[in-house]
Structure formats: C-alpha cells, structure tokens
Amino acid sequence: MAELFSGALAAAPSLGLTLLAFLFVLLVVVFVHEMGHYLVGRWCGIGVKTFSIGFGRELAGFNDRHGTRWKLSAIPLGGYVQFVGDAGATSEPDAEEMEKLTEAERKVAFHLAPVWKRAATVFAGPLFNFLLTIAVFTVMFSIYGRFVSDPMVASVRDGSPAQAAGLMPGDRFLSVDGNKVETFGDVQGYVSARAGEPIVFVILRDGKEISLIVTPRLEEQKDALGNVIKLGLIGVVNDEKGGKPRVIELNPAQALVEGVSETWSIIARTGFFLKRFVVGREDKCQLGGPVKIAGMAGKAAEKGFDWLIQLIALLSVGIGFLNLLPIPPLDGGHLLFYGIEAIARRPVSARIMDYVYRTGFVLVLAFMGFVLWNDLFAC
C-alpha cells in the first residue's frame, strides 16, 4: 500500500503537467479559430452576441462595449462565436429569433448579411488556424533554420522492400512517382503515407539514372515524442555518405516561404490520409482524440516549450482542415450551403437545412465517439 501511495504521488506532477499542457494547447487553437470568425464577422458588420471558449455552463465572463459576452465555459473541448440571429453555437438560423429582432439588429444579423460576408466569416476560422501554423513554422525556421539531409541511401535493411527492389547503398533519390525530391525528408514524407502502394523511384547510381518500383510496408515506429505510430517504410537508412543532417539558415522571408510550404504539405498529407482511411487503407489507431492529444501535450511539455508550440501548430492545421470538411455543423458544411445559395440565388430551404444539420451533427458525434473509443480501448 505504501508503494502504491508513493507511486501515485510521483505520478501526480506528470498528470498535472499533462492536463495543463493539454488545456493550454487546446485553448490556444480554439481561441485563434474563433477569433478568426469574430474579427472577420465584425469587419463585415455582423453583430456578435457571444464569444465562448468551451461549452456548457459559464465559469467566468464579461460584456464588452459592443454588447458581446466574452466567456469561459465549463467544457473546454471547443468554443463558438454566436452572431446576432443564430439559434445557438452552430450558427443555424433561428426563425423565431429573427422575427424578434429590432430594425437595428436586423442590419447586423448574420443570416441577413450578403452570402459573401457569411462565407468569409465562416472560412476565417480555419484560415486563422492555418495562419497560426504558418506563423509558428516561420518563427521556428527563423530561429533554428531548417535541418535537411541529402536524399542518399546509406544502407539497406535486410529483408526490406528496398532490398527486394534492388536499392543499394550510395544510391541517390532523384524523384518519387515523378515528383522531384531534394532532401531525404521529401522521400520520407511521400513514402510514409503510401503503405501498400507501388511507388516509382528514379535514382542516380554511378552517374546513371535507374527506375525502380518499391512498395512500402506498414510498420511501427516511435515518433519524436515516443508515441508508437504506423507508417509506410521501404527500409533504407540515411545517416552516412553525405546523408548527415545539415542546417540551412533562413532569413525571415525565406522562413515565411518555408512555413507556408510546410503548412501546405501537412494539409496535403492530411487530405491524402483521410482519403485512404475512408477506403480502409489506413490504420484506425492513427486517429487520435482528446486523450491521445492530452498525452502528446504532456510529453511535448516535458521536452520544452518549443515542442509544445510545435504541437499547437500541428493541431491547429489539423483542426482547420477538419473544419473545412463539407459536413454541417462544421464550417465546411456552412460553406457548402452558401455555395449552393450563391449558385441558385436563393437560400436552401429551412426544412432541408434542418435535416442536413441533424444528420451532420450525428455524424460528427459518431466520429468523436469513435476517436474517443480508440483512445480509451482500441489502440
């Protein structure tokens, strides 16, 4: 019993750090997302009733001079901006609420604004998430530079797909599936997302270009935070013969270009992963919910503040991407309706909108339940 008590005391600081780090990461990402909606909405002349970090019962809050209620709520797993005329946190139109609006309120009501203003306001949330990621990467590249390795093969693992295909030490990668590669990281990024798919490599060997087809194999590895992940590998090592990492120093403008490029690369890989996941070609355990994110936040915090900031950048771009999926009540679902409205020159009927919103809400809840089940029981 004494040992158990001592162990619990020893684990407490780690648990506390994990919870604090998780809340910090989540609150920053949510705040930036909702601030995007708020700022662009205000710029478009739309009235804001509530800016909430979290859902449920209000813990603390205040009213600003514009009449907006800023509050912190009990359940910190998200947030929302409620505009004038909204039915609630999901920005659905409320017919009864709209009838009660004064003439002054109707001038700033969200659902009476031109469709381009509503679309801009909704898109601003994910856009600010992407901008946050770009900003973090830009600062990191400016401070630390970029670590790169030449796309060289130092050694080939026995029994690996690379060995079976004929790759040899000293080979230099030139392209993968027709895409030019400049660093070993370019090769890794492409290969890791394509387990089970034949890839055409063009390599340079003894001054000659050779084409080889290699099919990556899904294998387990540990990432920088010690998490076990599954990804496609071909079985080559890059740590000799010119493959050692070197640092490229970047000025602010170059760092910005690299930050945009890195953010776009993550967006593209995320989209490719989801497409493969839908057709059953990705491991379900690669999807993480709040428990997994909390664990990653705790590990990142133990490594240092810069690791925590990088986790914020990765989570931010992921949240931005997921919110653009065309599923109500996500931002992408709203944008889909606005696109239909712009083409048809009239809003989607309230009955259809209500049905789609209810269906989408069930899908979102089911997805959240799925990733939580993964976190707690399946993975």
Side-chain angles (χ1 to χ4, degrees):
M1 188 69 177
E3 288 114 348
L4 180 63
F5 183 70
S6 299
L9 286 177
S14 180
L15 177 61
L17 179 63
T18 295
L19 290 176
L20 286 175
F22 173 62
L23 288 175
F24 175 72
V25 168
L26 199 61
L27 291 179
V28 170
V29 172
V30 169
F31 179 80
V32 168
H33 180 93
E34 300 305 334
M35 186 56 70
H37 292 315
Y38 172 82
L39 289 176
V40 174
R42 286 294 310 275
W43 177 74
C44 290
I46 297 170
V48 182
K49 294 171 63 176
T50 307
F51 185 110
S52 177
I53 299 298
F55 300 102
R57 184 172 62 87
E58 178 179 326
L59 299 178
F62 66 93
N63 292 330
D64 68 14
R65 61 189 180 87
H66 300 290
T68 301
R69 182 67 179 176
W70 296 75
K71 64 181 184 178
L72 181 66
S73 299
I75 306 172
L77 300 178
Y80 63 91
V81 174
Q82 185 178 6
F83 296 101
V84 174
D86 282 348
T90 57
S91 285
E92 293 179 68
D94 186 343
E96 293 184 7
E97 178 74 13
M98 296 294 287
E99 290 179 2
K100 297 177 184 177
L101 296 179
T102 65
E103 189 61 33
E105 289 174 328
R106 292 180 69 84
K107 291 181 180 179
V108 297
F110 178 80
H111 298 285
L112 296 180
V115 66
W116 72 266
K117 289 187 176 182
R118 282 175 278 148
T121 300
V122 168
F123 181 70
L127 175 62
F128 270 51
N129 280 132
F130 298 148
L131 292 177
L132 172 60
T133 302
I134 291 171
V136 170
F137 286 153
T138 299
V139 171
M140 289 295 178
F141 288 141
S142 295
I143 296 173
Y144 300 111
R146 183 148 202 176
F147 289 81
V148 298
S149 296
D150 291 330
M152 301 289 296
V153 177
S155 60
V156 180
R157 202 170 65 214
D158 289 340
S160 66
Q163 186 184 58
L167 276 167
M168 300 174 60
D171 288 344
R172 183 184 183 94
F173 295 106
L174 299 179
S175 68
V176 289
D177 281 344
N179 301 293
K180 183 181 178 182
V181 296
E182 296 180 352
T183 70
F184 193 74
D186 295 337
V187 180
Q188 287 177 308
Y190 192 87
V191 169
S192 63
R194 289 168 172 78
E197 294 186 11
I199 298 175
V200 178
F201 291 86
V202 175
I203 62 169
L204 185 66
R205 179 186 296 168
D206 297 328
K208 298 179 181 178
E209 292 188 9
I210 301 173
S211 293
L212 298 172
I213 297 177
V214 189
T215 302
R217 188 163 57 206
L218 190 66
E219 297 185 26
E220 289 187 351
Q221 263 196 351
K222 286 190 176 182
D223 64 15
L225 294 176
N227 302 299
V228 176
I229 57 175
K230 292 183 178 180
L231 68 166
L233 297 173
I234 61 173
V236 297
V237 178
N238 170 253
D239 58 4
E240 302 166 2
K241 298 185 179 179
K244 291 183 178 179
R246 66 182 188 279
V247 180
I248 299 177
E249 294 185 358
L250 304 171
N251 62 41
Q254 292 170 325
L256 175 60
V257 172
E258 290 295 323
V260 172
S261 176
E262 186 69 19
T263 301
W264 173 249
S265 177
I266 295 172
I267 293 172
R269 291 201 302 268
T270 302
F272 189 74
F273 168 83
L274 287 179
K275 183 174 72 172
R276 283 172 54 93
F277 180 80
V278 168
V279 297
R281 301 193 66 180
E282 288 289 351
D283 178 25
K284 63 179 174 46
C285 291
Q286 297 300 101
L287 288 175
V291 176
K292 186 172 183 179
I293 294 172
M296 294 172 64
K299 292 175 181 177
E302 288 180 348
K303 281 181 168 288
F305 187 70
D306 54 340
W307 283 82
L308 200 59
I309 295 300
Q310 290 178 71
L311 179 60
I312 286 175
L314 294 174
L315 183 61
S316 185
V317 73
I319 292 296
F321 181 91
L322 290 176
N323 265 280
L324 285 177
L325 295 178
I327 304 172
L330 301 178
D331 294 330
H334 293 289
L335 292 172
L336 177 63
F337 281 132
Y338 300 152
I340 295 172
E341 180 180 341
I343 295 172
R345 307 255 179 197
R346 64 176 184 274
V348 178
S349 74
R351 183 175 61 84
I352 294 176
M353 192 177 294
D354 182 64
Y355 173 77
V356 176
Y357 267 103
R358 291 175 185 273
T359 303
F361 191 69
V362 170
L363 289 174
V364 171
L365 285 179
F367 178 76
M368 292 173 64
F370 172 75
V371 294
L372 185 60
W373 177 268
N374 267 0
D375 284 353
L376 296 176
F377 305 109
C379 301

